Amino acid sequence: MKYLIEERVLHFKQPAGTSRGVYTERKSWLIHLSDGERQGVGECAPLPDLSCDAGPDYAILLRKVCEDFCTKKEIDYEALRPYPSMLFGLETALLSLRSNLSPLTSHPSHLLFDTAFSRGEVGIPINGLVWMGNYEEMLQRMEQKLEQGFRCVKLKIGAIDFDQELDLVKRIRERFSFHEVELRLDANGAFPYEEALYKLELLSQYAIHSIEQPIKAGQWAYMAELCRESPLPIALDEELIGVNDPEMKHHMLNVIKPRYIILKPSLHGGMQGCREWISVAKEQGIGSWITSALESNIGLNAIAQFASEVYGDNIRMPQGLGTGQLFTDNIEMGLEIRGDKLWRIES
Protein backbone atom coordinates (compact mmCIF):
# COMPACT_ATOMS: atom_id res chain seq x y z
CA MET A 1 0.00 0.00 0.00
CA LYS A 2 1.27 3.46 -0.93
CA TYR A 3 0.03 6.95 -0.09
CA LEU A 4 0.34 10.50 -1.34
CA ILE A 5 -0.74 13.60 0.57
CA GLU A 6 -1.98 16.60 -1.43
CA GLU A 7 -2.54 19.97 0.25
CA ARG A 8 -5.48 22.00 -1.05
CA VAL A 9 -6.70 25.53 -0.29
CA LEU A 10 -10.30 26.43 -1.12
CA HIS A 11 -11.59 29.99 -1.26
CA PHE A 12 -15.00 31.13 -0.04
CA LYS A 13 -17.28 32.97 -2.45
CA GLN A 14 -18.03 35.35 0.40
CA PRO A 15 -16.56 35.56 3.90
CA ALA A 16 -18.09 32.93 6.18
CA GLY A 17 -18.72 34.52 9.56
CA THR A 18 -19.02 32.69 12.85
CA SER A 19 -18.87 33.88 16.46
CA ARG A 20 -15.24 32.68 16.46
CA GLY A 21 -14.20 34.74 13.48
CA VAL A 22 -14.50 34.96 9.70
CA TYR A 23 -13.21 32.37 7.21
CA THR A 24 -12.04 33.50 3.76
CA GLU A 25 -10.20 30.31 2.80
CA ARG A 26 -10.17 26.66 3.83
CA LYS A 27 -7.12 24.40 3.95
CA SER A 28 -7.38 20.62 3.74
CA TRP A 29 -5.21 17.62 2.95
CA LEU A 30 -6.22 14.87 0.53
CA ILE A 31 -4.97 11.35 1.20
CA HIS A 32 -4.46 9.32 -1.99
CA LEU A 33 -4.10 5.58 -1.39
CA SER A 34 -2.98 2.98 -3.93
CA ASP A 35 -2.54 -0.79 -3.72
CA GLY A 36 -0.89 -0.94 -7.14
CA GLU A 37 -4.12 -1.58 -9.02
CA ARG A 38 -6.76 0.59 -7.37
CA GLN A 39 -6.82 4.09 -5.93
CA GLY A 40 -8.81 5.83 -3.23
CA VAL A 41 -9.04 9.37 -1.93
CA GLY A 42 -10.15 10.92 1.36
CA GLU A 43 -10.07 14.39 2.89
CA CYS A 44 -8.57 15.58 6.17
CA ALA A 45 -9.92 19.04 6.99
CA PRO A 46 -9.32 20.26 10.55
CA LEU A 47 -10.79 23.61 11.54
CA PRO A 48 -8.28 26.05 13.10
CA ASP A 49 -9.04 26.94 16.73
CA LEU A 50 -11.77 24.30 16.86
CA SER A 51 -10.58 20.81 15.87
CA CYS A 52 -8.86 18.91 18.66
CA ASP A 53 -6.20 17.72 16.21
CA ALA A 54 -5.46 21.02 14.43
CA GLY A 55 -1.99 22.48 14.91
CA PRO A 56 1.25 23.60 13.26
CA ASP A 57 2.56 20.02 13.02
CA TYR A 58 -0.59 18.66 11.39
CA ALA A 59 1.05 17.70 8.08
CA ILE A 60 3.93 15.93 9.86
CA LEU A 61 1.54 13.94 12.07
CA LEU A 62 -0.63 13.06 9.07
CA ARG A 63 2.37 11.58 7.25
CA LYS A 64 3.15 9.42 10.30
CA VAL A 65 -0.47 8.25 10.43
CA CYS A 66 -0.40 7.31 6.74
CA GLU A 67 2.94 5.53 7.09
CA ASP A 68 1.61 3.53 10.02
CA PHE A 69 -1.50 2.58 8.06
CA CYS A 70 0.47 1.48 5.01
CA THR A 71 2.70 -0.69 7.24
CA LYS A 72 -0.17 -2.34 9.14
CA LYS A 73 -2.62 -2.25 6.20
CA GLU A 74 -5.44 -1.52 8.63
CA ILE A 75 -6.72 1.48 10.58
CA ASP A 76 -5.67 1.65 14.23
CA TYR A 77 -8.89 3.20 15.56
CA GLU A 78 -7.76 3.37 19.18
CA ALA A 79 -4.54 5.19 18.29
CA LEU A 80 -6.46 7.64 16.08
CA ARG A 81 -9.15 8.63 18.60
CA PRO A 82 -7.33 11.95 19.33
CA TYR A 83 -7.10 12.70 15.56
CA PRO A 84 -10.67 12.70 14.20
CA SER A 85 -10.03 14.60 10.96
CA MET A 86 -7.12 12.30 10.07
CA LEU A 87 -9.20 9.25 10.89
CA PHE A 88 -12.07 10.49 8.73
CA GLY A 89 -9.77 11.10 5.77
CA LEU A 90 -8.22 7.66 6.11
CA GLU A 91 -11.61 5.96 6.50
CA THR A 92 -12.86 7.69 3.36
CA ALA A 93 -9.75 6.89 1.31
CA LEU A 94 -9.96 3.21 2.28
CA LEU A 95 -13.67 3.00 1.43
CA SER A 96 -12.94 4.72 -1.87
CA LEU A 97 -10.18 2.26 -2.73
CA ARG A 98 -12.16 -0.83 -1.70
CA SER A 99 -15.21 0.25 -3.69
CA ASN A 100 -13.19 -0.19 -6.88
CA LEU A 101 -14.11 -3.86 -7.20
CA SER A 102 -12.50 -4.16 -10.61
CA PRO A 103 -8.70 -3.72 -10.79
CA LEU A 104 -9.23 -2.34 -14.29
CA THR A 105 -10.63 0.82 -12.69
CA SER A 106 -7.61 2.77 -11.51
CA HIS A 107 -9.22 6.12 -10.63
CA PRO A 108 -10.68 6.67 -7.14
CA SER A 109 -14.30 5.68 -6.65
CA HIS A 110 -16.65 8.07 -4.93
CA LEU A 111 -19.37 5.44 -4.37
CA LEU A 112 -18.60 4.58 -0.75
CA PHE A 113 -21.79 2.92 0.52
CA ASP A 114 -24.51 0.92 -1.21
CA THR A 115 -27.50 3.11 -0.37
CA ALA A 116 -30.34 4.62 -2.36
CA PHE A 117 -28.77 8.06 -1.97
CA SER A 118 -25.36 6.83 -3.12
CA ARG A 119 -26.99 5.31 -6.20
CA GLY A 120 -28.76 8.58 -6.99
CA GLU A 121 -32.25 7.22 -6.33
CA VAL A 122 -33.25 9.55 -3.47
CA GLY A 123 -32.16 12.90 -2.10
CA ILE A 124 -31.30 13.82 1.48
CA PRO A 125 -33.26 16.74 3.00
CA ILE A 126 -30.91 19.51 4.12
CA ASN A 127 -31.18 22.84 5.90
CA GLY A 128 -30.45 26.16 4.25
CA LEU A 129 -27.58 27.84 6.11
CA VAL A 130 -27.56 31.60 6.76
CA TRP A 131 -24.09 32.80 7.76
CA MET A 132 -23.42 35.60 10.18
CA GLY A 133 -23.16 39.11 8.81
CA ASN A 134 -24.71 42.49 9.42
CA TYR A 135 -28.48 42.73 9.64
CA GLU A 136 -29.06 43.54 5.96
CA GLU A 137 -26.74 40.75 4.79
CA MET A 138 -28.40 38.14 6.98
CA LEU A 139 -31.86 39.26 5.94
CA GLN A 140 -30.92 38.99 2.26
CA ARG A 141 -29.36 35.55 2.72
CA MET A 142 -32.41 34.38 4.65
CA GLU A 143 -34.71 35.55 1.85
CA GLN A 144 -32.57 33.74 -0.73
CA LYS A 145 -32.80 30.44 1.16
CA LEU A 146 -36.57 30.71 1.41
CA GLU A 147 -36.87 31.58 -2.30
CA GLN A 148 -34.69 28.57 -3.18
CA GLY A 149 -37.27 26.31 -1.56
CA PHE A 150 -35.65 25.46 1.76
CA ARG A 151 -38.17 24.47 4.41
CA CYS A 152 -35.58 24.20 7.15
CA VAL A 153 -33.41 27.27 7.70
CA LYS A 154 -30.47 27.46 10.09
CA LEU A 155 -29.33 30.88 11.31
CA LYS A 156 -25.89 31.40 12.78
CA ILE A 157 -26.33 33.97 15.53
CA GLY A 158 -24.18 35.69 18.14
CA ALA A 159 -22.18 38.14 16.03
CA ILE A 160 -24.53 41.13 15.81
CA ASP A 161 -26.92 42.82 18.22
CA PHE A 162 -29.25 40.22 19.74
CA ASP A 163 -32.33 42.38 19.19
CA GLN A 164 -31.58 42.46 15.46
CA GLU A 165 -31.18 38.69 15.40
CA LEU A 166 -34.47 38.37 17.24
CA ASP A 167 -36.06 40.57 14.57
CA LEU A 168 -34.75 38.27 11.81
CA VAL A 169 -36.40 35.31 13.50
CA LYS A 170 -39.61 37.30 13.94
CA ARG A 171 -39.66 38.20 10.23
CA ILE A 172 -39.57 34.53 9.23
CA ARG A 173 -42.37 33.66 11.60
CA GLU A 174 -44.51 36.53 10.33
CA ARG A 175 -44.33 34.99 6.86
CA PHE A 176 -44.17 31.27 7.60
CA SER A 177 -45.63 29.17 10.39
CA PHE A 178 -43.55 26.44 12.05
CA HIS A 179 -45.51 23.95 9.92
CA GLU A 180 -44.11 25.61 6.79
CA VAL A 181 -40.53 26.46 7.82
CA GLU A 182 -38.44 24.79 10.50
CA LEU A 183 -36.06 27.22 12.21
CA ARG A 184 -32.76 26.13 13.72
CA LEU A 185 -30.28 28.42 15.46
CA ASP A 186 -26.55 28.01 16.05
CA ALA A 187 -25.01 30.28 18.67
CA ASN A 188 -21.52 28.71 18.52
CA GLY A 189 -21.19 29.34 22.28
CA ALA A 190 -21.79 33.09 21.96
CA PHE A 191 -24.19 33.64 24.89
CA PRO A 192 -22.77 34.47 28.33
CA TYR A 193 -24.20 31.96 30.79
CA GLU A 194 -25.81 34.73 32.86
CA GLU A 195 -27.82 35.92 29.82
CA ALA A 196 -28.45 32.60 28.10
CA LEU A 197 -31.74 31.53 29.69
CA TYR A 198 -33.30 34.98 29.20
CA LYS A 199 -32.32 34.96 25.51
CA LEU A 200 -33.61 31.42 25.05
CA GLU A 201 -36.94 32.46 26.57
CA LEU A 202 -37.23 35.38 24.13
CA LEU A 203 -36.43 33.12 21.17
CA SER A 204 -38.86 30.44 22.28
CA GLN A 205 -41.91 32.52 21.31
CA TYR A 206 -41.03 31.92 17.64
CA ALA A 207 -41.34 28.13 17.57
CA ILE A 208 -37.64 27.33 17.20
CA HIS A 209 -36.76 23.71 16.46
CA SER A 210 -33.49 23.82 18.41
CA ILE A 211 -30.46 25.93 19.27
CA GLU A 212 -26.91 24.62 19.03
CA GLN A 213 -24.35 25.31 21.71
CA PRO A 214 -25.84 28.43 23.38
CA ILE A 215 -22.83 28.78 25.75
CA LYS A 216 -19.17 27.89 25.38
CA ALA A 217 -18.15 24.26 25.62
CA GLY A 218 -16.60 22.85 28.77
CA GLN A 219 -19.23 24.13 31.22
CA TRP A 220 -21.08 20.88 31.84
CA ALA A 221 -22.92 21.98 34.98
CA TYR A 222 -24.14 25.22 33.36
CA MET A 223 -25.10 23.44 30.14
CA ALA A 224 -26.97 20.76 32.09
CA GLU A 225 -28.90 23.48 33.92
CA LEU A 226 -29.80 25.18 30.65
CA CYS A 227 -30.98 21.88 29.15
CA ARG A 228 -33.26 21.41 32.19
CA GLU A 229 -34.62 24.95 32.25
CA SER A 230 -34.64 26.06 28.61
CA PRO A 231 -37.97 26.34 26.80
CA LEU A 232 -35.98 25.59 23.60
CA PRO A 233 -34.48 22.18 22.78
CA ILE A 234 -30.68 22.41 23.05
CA ALA A 235 -28.26 20.61 20.75
CA LEU A 236 -24.58 19.98 21.52
CA ASP A 237 -21.90 20.51 18.90
CA GLU A 238 -18.58 21.97 20.08
CA GLU A 239 -19.22 20.28 23.44
CA LEU A 240 -18.50 16.91 21.81
CA ILE A 241 -15.08 17.86 20.43
CA GLY A 242 -12.24 16.03 22.13
CA VAL A 243 -14.56 13.63 23.96
CA ASN A 244 -13.24 10.48 22.32
CA ASP A 245 -13.52 7.79 24.99
CA PRO A 246 -16.79 5.77 24.78
CA GLU A 247 -17.30 5.83 28.56
CA MET A 248 -16.82 9.60 28.63
CA LYS A 249 -19.40 9.96 25.84
CA HIS A 250 -21.93 8.08 27.99
CA HIS A 251 -21.02 10.18 31.01
CA MET A 252 -21.27 13.53 29.23
CA LEU A 253 -24.68 12.88 27.71
CA ASN A 254 -25.96 11.45 30.98
CA VAL A 255 -24.86 14.59 32.85
CA ILE A 256 -25.95 17.26 30.35
CA LYS A 257 -29.00 15.50 28.85
CA PRO A 258 -29.37 17.55 25.64
CA ARG A 259 -32.26 17.01 23.26
CA TYR A 260 -29.94 16.56 20.25
CA ILE A 261 -26.31 16.13 19.28
CA ILE A 262 -24.88 17.45 16.00
CA LEU A 263 -22.22 15.23 14.48
CA LYS A 264 -19.37 16.21 12.18
CA PRO A 265 -17.07 13.28 11.32
CA SER A 266 -14.05 15.58 10.92
CA LEU A 267 -14.54 16.87 14.47
CA HIS A 268 -16.25 14.07 16.35
CA GLY A 269 -14.22 10.93 15.79
CA GLY A 270 -14.50 10.13 12.11
CA MET A 271 -17.21 7.73 10.95
CA GLN A 272 -16.36 5.26 13.69
CA GLY A 273 -16.61 7.88 16.43
CA CYS A 274 -19.90 9.22 15.06
CA ARG A 275 -21.36 5.71 15.08
CA GLU A 276 -20.46 5.54 18.76
CA TRP A 277 -22.08 8.90 19.47
CA ILE A 278 -25.28 7.88 17.66
CA SER A 279 -25.46 4.60 19.57
CA VAL A 280 -24.90 6.27 22.94
CA ALA A 281 -27.44 9.00 22.15
CA LYS A 282 -30.09 6.47 21.12
CA GLU A 283 -29.67 4.62 24.40
CA GLN A 284 -30.49 7.86 26.24
CA GLY A 285 -33.33 8.99 23.97
CA ILE A 286 -31.28 11.80 22.40
CA GLY A 287 -31.73 12.67 18.74
CA SER A 288 -28.95 13.42 16.27
CA TRP A 289 -28.18 14.61 12.79
CA ILE A 290 -25.02 14.92 10.72
CA THR A 291 -23.42 17.99 9.18
CA SER A 292 -20.34 18.80 7.18
CA ALA A 293 -17.58 20.98 8.60
CA LEU A 294 -16.68 23.07 5.53
CA GLU A 295 -14.90 20.23 3.75
CA SER A 296 -14.46 20.18 -0.01
CA ASN A 297 -16.80 18.02 -2.07
CA ILE A 298 -14.53 15.02 -1.37
CA GLY A 299 -15.41 15.19 2.31
CA LEU A 300 -19.00 16.31 1.75
CA ASN A 301 -19.65 13.35 -0.56
CA ALA A 302 -18.36 10.96 2.11
CA ILE A 303 -20.37 12.61 4.90
CA ALA A 304 -23.60 12.57 2.89
CA GLN A 305 -23.21 8.91 1.98
CA PHE A 306 -22.33 8.11 5.59
CA ALA A 307 -25.53 9.85 6.74
CA SER A 308 -27.57 7.77 4.30
CA GLU A 309 -25.87 4.63 5.58
CA VAL A 310 -26.43 5.24 9.32
CA TYR A 311 -29.93 6.76 9.11
CA GLY A 312 -31.31 4.70 6.22
CA ASP A 313 -32.85 5.52 2.85
CA ASN A 314 -35.81 7.52 4.17
CA ILE A 315 -34.15 10.34 6.10
CA ARG A 316 -36.78 12.83 7.23
CA MET A 317 -34.77 15.11 9.53
CA PRO A 318 -32.85 17.73 7.49
CA GLN A 319 -29.10 17.24 7.66
CA GLY A 320 -26.43 19.97 7.45
CA LEU A 321 -25.01 19.09 4.04
CA GLY A 322 -25.40 22.27 2.00
CA THR A 323 -21.83 23.58 2.14
CA GLY A 324 -20.63 22.39 -1.27
CA GLN A 325 -21.61 25.64 -2.98
CA LEU A 326 -19.60 27.90 -0.65
CA PHE A 327 -16.29 27.78 -2.56
CA THR A 328 -15.12 29.32 -5.82
CA ASP A 329 -12.74 26.44 -6.54
CA ASN A 330 -14.35 23.34 -5.08
CA ILE A 331 -13.43 19.87 -6.36
CA GLU A 332 -15.86 18.62 -8.99
CA MET A 333 -18.15 15.93 -7.66
CA GLY A 334 -21.53 14.44 -8.51
CA LEU A 335 -23.45 16.41 -5.89
CA GLU A 336 -26.38 18.68 -6.65
CA ILE A 337 -28.90 20.60 -4.57
CA ARG A 338 -32.44 20.47 -5.92
CA GLY A 339 -34.89 22.46 -3.85
CA ASP A 340 -34.17 21.46 -0.26
CA LYS A 341 -32.49 18.13 -0.97
CA LEU A 342 -28.94 17.03 -1.77
CA TRP A 343 -28.71 14.52 -4.60
CA ARG A 344 -25.87 12.39 -5.88
CA ILE A 345 -25.90 12.37 -9.67
CA GLU A 346 -22.59 10.68 -10.47
CA SER A 347 -22.92 7.32 -12.23
Side-chain angles (χ1 to χ4, degrees):
M1 190 78 72
K2 295 182 179 180
Y3 76 92
L4 174 68
I5 296 174
E6 175 191 0
E7 184 175 317
R8 295 291 293 258
V9 177
L10 303 178
H11 300 86
F12 285 89
K13 293 178 181 177
Q14 58 188 25
T18 76
S19 59
R20 292 181 300 273
V22 178
Y23 294 110
T24 57
E25 63 180 33
R26 180 76 165 99
K27 182 183 290 187
S28 68
W29 289 261
L30 301 182
I31 299 176
H32 298 270
L33 293 181
S34 173
D35 64 2
E37 296 179 326
R38 302 169 298 178
Q39 294 186 43
V41 62
E43 180 177 13
C44 305
L47 281 167
D49 303 320
L50 186 61
S51 297
C52 62
D53 55 356
D57 297 327
Y58 187 89
I60 296 172
L61 287 172
L62 181 59
R63 282 196 295 273
K64 292 180 179 178
V65 166
C66 291
E67 288 169 4
D68 184 65
F69 168 77
C70 289
T71 299
K72 296 179 179 178
K73 295 184 173 56
E74 62 181 19
I75 297 176
D76 188 340
Y77 287 99
E78 289 303 313
L80 289 178
R81 283 189 182 275
Y83 309 102
S85 65
M86 298 183 195
L87 173 57
F88 175 60
L90 201 53
E91 287 174 312
T92 303
L94 188 57
L95 284 169
S96 172
L97 182 143
R98 287 177 173 172
S99 65
N100 279 328
L101 299 179
S102 169
L104 298 177
T105 305
S106 59
H107 61 82
S109 171
H110 303 300
L111 182 65
L112 308 180
F113 294 100
D114 185 19
T115 67
F117 168 77
S118 299
R119 296 189 298 269
E121 297 167 5
V122 299
I124 296 177
I126 61 175
N127 61 247
L129 178 60
V130 176
W131 287 96
M132 289 178 177
N134 61 42
Y135 179 82
E136 290 75 19
E137 288 171 339
M138 292 184 70
L139 180 60
Q140 181 182 23
R141 293 167 190 169
M142 182 181 71
E143 294 284 353
Q144 288 174 345
K145 294 302 177 184
L146 295 173
E147 290 173 3
Q148 290 167 7
F150 284 97
R151 288 300 170 257
C152 176
V153 178
K154 174 180 171 179
L155 297 176
K156 282 188 170 289
I157 63 174
I160 63 175
D161 180 74
F162 178 74
D163 288 336
Q164 289 186 312
E165 292 173 334
L166 199 62
D167 185 62
L168 284 171
V169 173
K170 180 181 178 181
R171 279 175 175 260
I172 297 179
R173 277 292 168 255
E174 287 175 344
R175 289 180 53 192
F176 301 97
S177 72
F178 69 93
H179 294 294
E180 297 171 300
V181 173
E182 180 178 287
L183 277 178
R184 296 176 179 175
L185 305 178
D186 184 0
N188 287 126
F191 296 167
Y193 167 71
E194 296 77 12
E195 303 174 9
L197 188 58
Y198 173 67
K199 290 183 175 180
L200 294 177
E201 288 172 347
L202 290 177
L203 290 165
S204 68
Q205 64 187 307
Y206 299 112
I208 306 299
H209 172 272
S210 58
I211 182 166
E212 295 178 39
Q213 205 69 42
I215 62 174
K216 289 182 179 179
Q219 306 177 84
W220 287 18
Y222 286 159
M223 187 67 84
E225 181 180 345
L226 283 180
C227 288
R228 286 195 306 270
E229 303 296 331
S230 172
L232 286 183
I234 290 176
L236 301 186
D237 182 354
E238 289 92 337
E239 202 74 63
L240 311 179
I241 296 172
V243 181
N244 302 310
D245 180 74
E247 291 187 8
M248 188 58 71
K249 293 177 182 180
H250 278 276
H251 181 56
M252 168 189 276
L253 296 187
N254 188 53
V255 169
I256 298 178
K257 293 181 170 60
R259 184 75 64 86
Y260 302 103
I261 58 173
I262 317 301
L263 297 168
K264 299 178 176 71
S266 291
L267 297 177
H268 302 135
M271 297 183 196
Q272 177 73 9
C274 286
R275 289 183 194 276
E276 290 179 356
W277 276 116
I278 292 170
S279 177
V280 172
K282 279 184 176 180
E283 290 175 9
Q284 300 190 31
I286 297 168
S288 66
W289 66 87
I290 290 173
T291 82
S292 55
L294 303 179
E295 295 88 353
S296 76
N297 277 335
I298 295 289
L300 178 59
N301 173 67
I303 294 166
Q305 291 191 56
F306 174 65
S308 72
E309 201 270 337
V310 295
Y311 293 134
D313 290 334
N314 297 306
I315 298 177
R316 296 188 180 277
M317 178 176 284
Q319 310 292 298
L321 305 172
T323 57
Q325 298 177 326
L326 295 176
F327 304 107
T328 61
D329 47 4
N330 207 338
I331 298 168
E332 289 297 320
M333 187 70 59
L335 298 171
E336 180 178 277
I337 295 176
R338 303 177 198 162
D340 64 349
K341 290 186 176 181
L342 178 70
W343 290 79
R344 193 169 184 278
I345 59 176
E346 186 178 52
S347 59

